[in-house]
Amino acid sequence: MNIVILAAGMGKRMRSDLPKVLHPLAGKPLLAHVLDTARKLKPGRLIVVDGHGGELVRKKLADAGQADDLIFVRQAPQLGTGHAVQQTVAYLDESQPTLVLYGDVPLTTEITLQRLVEAAAQNSLAILTVNLNDPTGYGRIVRNAANGIERIVEQKDATANERAIHEVNTGILIAPTVALKRWLNNLSNNNAQGEYYLTDIVAQSVSDGVPVTSAQPDHEWETLGVNSQSQLAQLERQHQLTQAEALLEAGVTLADPARIDIRGTLNCGRDVSIDVGCVFEGKVTIADQVRIGPHCVLRNVKVGTGTIIEAFSHLDDATVGADNRIGPYARLRPGAVLAEGVHIGNFVEVKNSQIAAQSKANHLSYIGDTTMGARVNVGAGTITCNYDGVNKHRTVIEDDVFIGSDTQLVAPVTVKRGATLGAGTTLTQDAPQDQLTISRAKQLSLPNWKRPIKK
Ligand code: UD1
Ligand code: CA
């Protein structure tokens, strides 16, 4: 099939310089949601009609690697939804039907669109409609005595009787393409808004004897569009709730399904529990029996079985092994790779470092560009000085090392297996195996010293 996505509208009510369809929902542009759903239907042609901010729309999709299968068509000026589809006729494969979607309606499901495709199977025109308690602003579906669809009338052109109709046009429809092209040719802008209405193809279809059918979505929110920041925020919450419900359904324990945000994909094993206020971004994979405390941020992270992540931890592009204890207030930055049984405590930052099994850094440390062995104990306040102002250097800490508190390791430097570093050491040369290495001024006390007295 051909899929045409209308995305030329200005979105004035967003009060933003960003084109409306690029505003993110769950971390992804509205238009990208529509494209992802459209691609599930395996369209032969996928066409985006852009207009306001069209250059930026094209650039953002290309930068995200999302434009290769798209045909972009510019609509300028924007003279209505019918005019928008008119711009695409040269690209429509006549042997396939054409599905019209809106770039600012992000949450329509594949199931609903399949249902619409089925409703159009006998070469009919099929419209996705919904019954709204408050239909104000929408085009109304006008049916005849036999309940057949006759036409669509826009709010501004409707009589009082027509405005009393609660069944509305969602704007999503599928049409046989040869007939669609003919109908588009006959549109006029002789209406209250002086626009070429796509909806006027319905009456033409009826007079051509092409049947008009309809399908309905499972949820009203699937058909809601974004015209304002308020509507965007409402759809964001709806989408997050849908995702949270899917997690609950899959057996994940959520302290509060209304207080979790997933901006990407979150895969959880069995008996995972997630406390309130956590944000998951990119691709996050969590193994069985993991517990995540309140207000953690996990972006592109893998977490192994049985690990506990305590409150306020921030994990970015990191791999956490099984049975770790992370946080509270831990920060794992890109390239942090932790094996089993590792403890990373409060105010400890780990970047581009591998930490082997059972090693611990429990308090106030920076571990950067480090290869750390197993069973290492890193004392409070230990810092790897990995940066000389120009280049980054590696620190190697072998198995069974004990590092006293407030130690600086000036990289490049190696601490050999079993070495002990005395508290306060500034290590500038390699520390030998199994010995105590210490750099510290000798302690001194002055027995006759007197405190100065205030004059
Ligand atoms: C349209 C429908 C209305 C339906 C409503 C659902 C028409 C005439 N009316 O109304 O029956 O109930 O959607 O929300 O079709 N767009 C363009 N180019 C244009 C005009 C619009 O690309 O020249 C795009 C917009 O960016 C938007 C979509 O088409 O994504 C709908 O436009 P909008 O102005 O919101 O349609 P309505 O007039 O509200
Ligand atoms: Ca709209």
Side-chain angles (χ1 to χ4, degrees), residues 253-277:
T253 301
L254 299 178
D256 182 355
R259 282 184 288 169
I260 178 171
D261 282 79
I262 302 163
R263 302 171 190 152
T265 57
L266 172 59
N267 285 302
C268 292
R270 285 180 83 81
D271 296 302
V272 169
S273 82
I274 301 173
D275 212 326
V276 297

Side-chain angles (χ1 to χ4, degrees), residues 6-9 75 78-81 102 104 138-139 154 169-170 197 199:
L6 304 188
Q75 184 202 15
Q78 288 86 34
L79 304 178
T81 50
Y102 287 0
D104 57 4
Y138 288 88
E154 292 303 298
N169 172 32
T170 64
Y197 292 165
T199 44

Side-chain angles (χ1 to χ4, degrees), residues 20 102 104 225-227:
K20 178 165 71 175
Y102 287 0
D104 57 4
V226 171
N227 298 300

Side-chain angles (χ1 to χ4, degrees), residues 79-130:
L79 304 178
T81 50
H83 179 254
V85 180
Q86 277 171 355
Q87 312 309 304
T88 71
V89 291
Y91 304 97
L92 301 179
D93 176 354
E94 295 190 352
S95 70
Q96 304 289 324
T98 298
L99 172 66
V100 177
L101 303 175
Y102 287 0
D104 57 4
V105 178
L107 299 183
T108 321
T109 62
E110 184 193 358
I111 294 173
T112 289
L113 293 180
Q114 290 289 10
R115 193 176 296 151
L116 185 68
V117 169
E118 274 158 36
Q122 300 310 313
N123 231 17
S124 60
L125 170 63
I127 304 164
L128 189 69
T129 74
V130 65

